Amino acid sequence: MSSLAKEYEPPVQIEDLEDVRSADTVEAPVKGVDAEVVEFFAQNHVSAPIDESTNRRLRWMVHKRVLVVMVVTYFAQTLDKGTLSFASIMGIIKDTKLVGQQYAWLTTCVYIAILISEFPTNILLQRLPVAKYLAFNIMAWGAVLACTAACQDFTGLVIVRTLLGIFECVCQPAFVFLSTMWYTRKEQALVIGSFYAMNGFQQCVGGLIAYGIAHTHSSTIKNWQLLFTLLGSITVVWGLFVMFWLPDSPMRAKCWSKEDRVLIAERVRGNETGIQNKQFKWHQAIEGFTDATVWAVTIISFTNGLPTGGLGAFSNLILNAFGFTQLQTYLLAIAQGAIVMTFLFSGAWLSTKYDQKLLFGFLYTLPNIAGTIVFLTVPTNPHTKVGLLLAFYCTQGFGAVAILNLAVMSGNVAGRTKQVVASSMVFIAWAVGNAVGPQVFRANDAPRYIKAFIVHIIIYVIQCAVIILLRLHLVRQNVLKRRAKEPAVTTRSGQDANEGIEHRHAFDDLTDKENPDFRYVY
């Protein structure tokens, strides 16, 4: 019988679980465990450990159904959201009569919408079938993006950009949730890195698309209008595909046999973070709001998001200011995307290989600092543009920090309601950072934006300090947990590779603090 049929209190008889036919006494599940999860494990069990070949087969099955959807959807989201950057040098600013900070506000309003919508969308992700809710939002933002082509002024652009933020905000929390549901903690950094790498890939593909469309001339539709219409229509079609392809959970994955569904669920037992729970638990919410770990990853999300927002919105304008032509700027975006992907995959791979997420998060902040210092000290002229371009590429290390921070969050926060709170806080902070980011690039400070890059330096220093403190905190929490279980544990790190943990509470929807079997990763 599964561990879900084990109770901390004296067991009581269950008489109404369908298909449970046993003369033995079946013990009641822990109070508050998701009923669908209870019934699924009560009717099915794994008789032997999952061997490596089976584990590899199951992982590839999940890749085809889940990872493919996450990667392509995130690519569509980043491409759709980044379209404004390409349109900025296609004439949208002139055609819609934008002045002063209005262009910056078109990026800021997206993240204000995300800020407002993030907590409600996380609640809906907890309560609704995740695949269907995700698919609806994909189709909705695709339709909104296509409507951008009809905008003729700042007001119209603000409306569609705000709606875009409302519908797009589902992506990152949904994907982090799917990562914890379908993948082991060891795999999560590479999984998150895979879809997050689409930030770089969209720069490559987006640059080529923009380069091609820039050569299209029509008297009836402008280049930037064609760009929005084309990408929006493709996104709607992809949303329809996701509706039918992505399973909502291992329990509902009818595309696989019942035996494989059980094995896929058992594969993530060691995460100790569960699969799903649709009940909102206030004690978990309070724990999330008061947990130092949650606040630390939230602060890192903000400090990483602020430079990202500014550089993302103004990257093409900055490169243009270095002295590169419009078409050169499009092509340089391809190289920029390749650099971003290199940072992302190397960070994810190294952190997985050496099991050191926060250490590499700190190290990948250093290139950002170095590149920003170059911006502050080197003047802009034809002789320095190559050096400035290399410095700009150094500042793309923020992507690696972002995925490592999300992996730290997904691996260290247990209890579905606590995950909802943590995810909401992290992505709200990310939205605030991205909303503020473009505003530090003042129009009267162009083309060097000295004040903006001074702000970036301060933010990076804060980020490094929080990363160090978080690592010390998680090490300490592991020491305390192991001492509570075995007082003889005296190692400073609390590490014990041979520690025997039975994972009896893996699907009991306990928080990381409540679960005695939980160990923090850093």
Side-chain angles (χ1 to χ4, degrees):
M1 179 61 63
S2 164
S3 65
L4 287 172
K6 296 184 179 179
E7 167 67 290
Y8 306 121
E9 305 295 334
V12 295
Q13 190 83 15
I14 292 182
E15 298 178 345
D16 58 352
L17 274 181
E18 183 181 340
D19 293 335
V20 176
R21 301 288 184 267
S22 173
D24 298 330
T25 298
V26 180
E27 299 175 2
V30 177
K31 183 179 179 181
V33 178
D34 186 83
E36 185 179 13
V37 177
V38 171
E39 186 168 359
F40 180 74
F41 280 101
Q43 295 179 20
N44 306 281
H45 67 279
V46 177
S47 58
I50 300 174
D51 59 56
E52 183 54 37
S53 62
T54 302
N55 186 52
R56 193 181 309 112
R57 178 179 66 84
L58 296 171
R59 184 166 57 242
W60 276 108
M61 288 168 58
V62 173
H63 283 345
K64 293 173 186 176
R65 284 278 173 174
V66 180
L67 186 60
V68 167
V69 168
M70 290 196 289
V71 167
V72 177
T73 302
Y74 202 80
F75 169 71
Q77 186 218 23
T78 54
L79 184 61
D80 293 351
K81 190 158 51 183
T83 302
L84 183 66
S85 181
F86 292 112
S88 68
I89 51 179
M90 281 184 176
I92 191 173
I93 295 176
K94 179 182 177 181
D95 292 338
T96 55
K97 303 176 180 63
L98 301 181
V99 295
Q101 288 296 110
Q102 287 183 335
Y103 173 74
W105 274 105
L106 294 181
T107 297
T108 297
C109 70
V110 172
Y111 293 102
I112 291 175
I114 292 174
L115 187 157
I116 295 170
S117 307
E118 195 64 57
F119 187 69
T121 209
N122 269 279
I123 293 293
L124 291 172
L125 278 171
Q126 181 181 17
R127 294 177 176 267
L128 299 177
V130 61
K132 307 303 182 290
Y133 182 60
L134 175 63
F136 164 78
N137 281 275
I138 294 170
M139 290 184 284
W141 94 57
V144 167
L145 187 73
C147 290
T148 308
C151 295
Q152 298 179 351
D153 54 24
F154 176 67
T155 302
L157 287 172
V158 166
I159 292 171
V160 295
R161 297 289 290 176
T162 301
L163 289 172
L164 193 68
I166 291 172
F167 293 124
E168 282 192 349
C169 75
V170 70
C171 268
Q172 294 196 76
F175 293 168
V176 172
F177 177 34
L178 289 171
S179 298
T180 61
M181 179 189 289
W182 296 97
Y183 290 97
T184 67
R185 288 205 285 186
K186 186 176 180 63
E187 297 164 349
Q188 284 169 17
L190 279 170
V191 168
I192 294 173
S194 295
F195 70 75
Y196 222 89
M198 294 303 102
N199 283 298
F201 189 59
Q202 75 87 9
Q203 287 281 350
C204 300
V205 176
L208 290 172
I209 293 173
Y211 183 82
I213 291 179
H215 285 80
T216 303
H217 302 287
S218 172
S219 58
T220 57
I221 185 170
K222 295 181 171 63
N223 292 342
W224 62 267
Q225 292 175 320
L226 178 60
L227 185 66
F228 283 114
T229 303
L230 176 65
L231 295 181
S233 301
I234 293 173
T235 300
V236 171
V237 174
W238 173 251
L240 285 170
F241 175 77
V242 172
M243 179 78 72
F244 295 100
W245 183 255
L246 180 66
D248 290 308
S249 68
M251 291 82 70
R252 298 187 182 186
K254 304 298 184 183
C255 52
W256 299 315
S257 67
K258 180 177 288 188
E259 292 75 14
D260 280 342
R261 277 182 272 155
V262 176
L263 291 171
I264 286 170
E266 283 289 341
R267 214 174 71 83
V268 299
R269 177 179 290 276
N271 291 356
E272 295 288 346
T273 52
I275 294 178
Q276 71 174 29
N277 194 293
K278 299 184 183 302
Q279 178 186 353
F280 190 88
K281 302 178 181 179
W282 283 104
H283 76 279
Q284 288 194 12
I286 293 170
E287 182 177 314
F289 283 122
T290 56
D291 191 340
T293 300
V294 174
W295 277 104
V297 293
T298 299
I299 293 170
I300 294 169
S301 184
F302 171 78
T303 57
N304 200 56
L306 190 149
T308 306
L311 292 172
F314 285 85
S315 60
N316 285 336
L317 294 179
I318 292 169
L319 292 175
N320 217 217
F322 287 168
F324 297 102
T325 67
Q326 178 180 336
L327 294 181
Q328 284 176 331
T329 301
Y330 287 141
L331 296 176
L332 287 172
I334 299 173
Q336 179 186 346
I339 300 260
V340 170
M341 294 179 70
T342 300
F343 274 124
L344 283 164
F345 281 121
S346 62
W349 182 78
L350 288 170
S351 69
T352 301
K353 178 178 175 61
Y354 295 103
D355 201 19
Q356 294 287 345
K357 297 177 179 64
L358 289 171
L359 173 61
F360 284 103
F362 179 90
L363 293 177
Y364 275 86
T365 305
L366 301 182
N368 294 32
I369 295 174
T372 305
I373 290 173
V374 172
F375 287 153
L376 289 171
T377 57
V378 176
T380 304
N381 59 57
H383 301 293
T384 61
K385 69 178 184 179
V386 174
L388 289 169
L389 177 64
L390 295 175
F392 178 73
Y393 287 157
C394 283
T395 63
Q396 305 306 299
F398 60 78
V401 180
I403 62 130
L404 294 173
N405 189 50
L406 291 179
V408 169
M409 180 187 75
S410 66
N412 289 311
V413 178
R416 184 64 192 119
T417 301
K418 186 176 180 181
Q419 289 173 339
V420 167
V421 169
S423 180
S424 298
M425 290 174 63
V426 164
F427 291 118
I428 285 173
W430 171 81
V432 171
N434 277 273
V436 173
Q439 297 302 319
V440 302
F441 285 83
R442 310 300 296 178
N444 57 8
D445 199 27
R448 291 194 62 191
Y449 300 107
I450 295 296
K451 294 176 183 176
F453 291 121
I454 290 174
V455 172
H456 285 193
I457 285 288
I458 296 171
I459 287 295
Y460 291 138
V461 170
I462 294 172
Q463 179 170 290
C464 288
V466 175
I467 288 173
I468 293 170
L469 292 174
L470 176 57
R471 192 178 192 282
L472 293 174
H473 171 72
L474 293 177
V475 168
R476 179 61 178 166
Q477 294 306 302
N478 274 355
V479 170
L480 295 176
K481 274 185 170 285
R482 290 190 170 99
R483 285 179 179 170
K485 180 181 178 181
E486 176 53 64
V489 173
T490 57
T491 59
R492 290 185 179 182
S493 68
Q495 297 284 11
D496 184 359
N498 298 316
E499 182 181 19
I501 297 178
E502 298 178 2
H503 303 297
R504 294 178 297 110
H505 309 293
F507 302 119
D508 292 350
D509 197 45
L510 300 177
T511 69
D512 48 280
K513 290 187 177 182
E514 293 172 333
N515 188 347
D517 292 341
F518 194 93
R519 296 296 179 267
Y520 296 96
V521 292
Y522 44 81

